[in-house]
């Protein structure tokens, strides 16, 4: 599912080797392994109705800093956590789910 246009179960599983910038054409569901280091995930510019889900599948203590298009961190997703982000056209709203401890 792309961030901007709904489709069914469009997802991406990826091990990162650097920071990641999402666009309105990126998959909605992103299962990301930071690849041994903390990484930044930058969201597209705000627009009403955008949605993105990010899961941190790290095998160690590696965080994903999710940033808005201006570079401000809006949420940090730690190992075994996931976040749903929804944009109202002005800001990204965050729903962070903690993983099992």
């Amino acid at each position: 599912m792309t961030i901007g246009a709904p489709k069914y179960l469009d997802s991406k599983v990826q091990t990162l080797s650097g920071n990641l910038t999402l666009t309105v054409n990126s998959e909605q569901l992103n299962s990301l392994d930071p690849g041994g280091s903390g990484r930044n995930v930058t969201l597209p510019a705000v627009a009403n109705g955008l949605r993105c889900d990010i899961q941190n599948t790290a095998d160690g203590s590696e965080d994903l800093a999710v940033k808005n298009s201006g570079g401000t961190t809006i949420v940090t997703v730690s190992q075994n956590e996931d976040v749903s982000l929804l944009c109202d056209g002005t800001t990204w709203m965050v729903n962070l789910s903690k993983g099992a401890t």
Side-chain angles (χ1 to χ4, degrees):
M1 183 176 295
T2 58
I3 291 177
K7 297 179 187 174
Y8 292 102
L9 298 177
D10 190 7
S11 64
K12 184 171 204 168
V13 176
Q14 183 175 5
T15 298
L16 302 177
S17 59
N19 295 327
L20 176 65
T21 299
L22 300 175
T23 70
V24 295
N25 295 316
S26 296
E27 290 78 10
Q28 179 182 344
L29 306 172
N30 293 275
S31 182
L32 304 174
D33 180 338
S37 182
R39 307 287 183 194
N40 295 328
V41 178
T42 302
L43 299 170
V46 294
N48 191 35
L50 297 182
R51 180 178 173 160
C52 180
D53 298 293
I54 298 171
Q55 178 183 35
N56 183 337
T57 61
D59 59 0
S61 182
E62 304 153 19
D63 292 337
L64 294 170
V66 180
K67 299 178 178 259
N68 64 20
S69 61
T72 301
T73 299
I74 56 175
V75 65
T76 298
V77 186
S78 297
Q79 178 186 18
N80 298 322
E81 292 181 344
D82 57 80
V83 65
S84 293
L85 300 125
L86 180 63
C87 186
D88 65 1
T90 304
T91 189
W92 285 97
M93 295 171 281
V94 175
N95 183 13
L96 181 65
S97 298
K98 301 283 185 181
T101 56

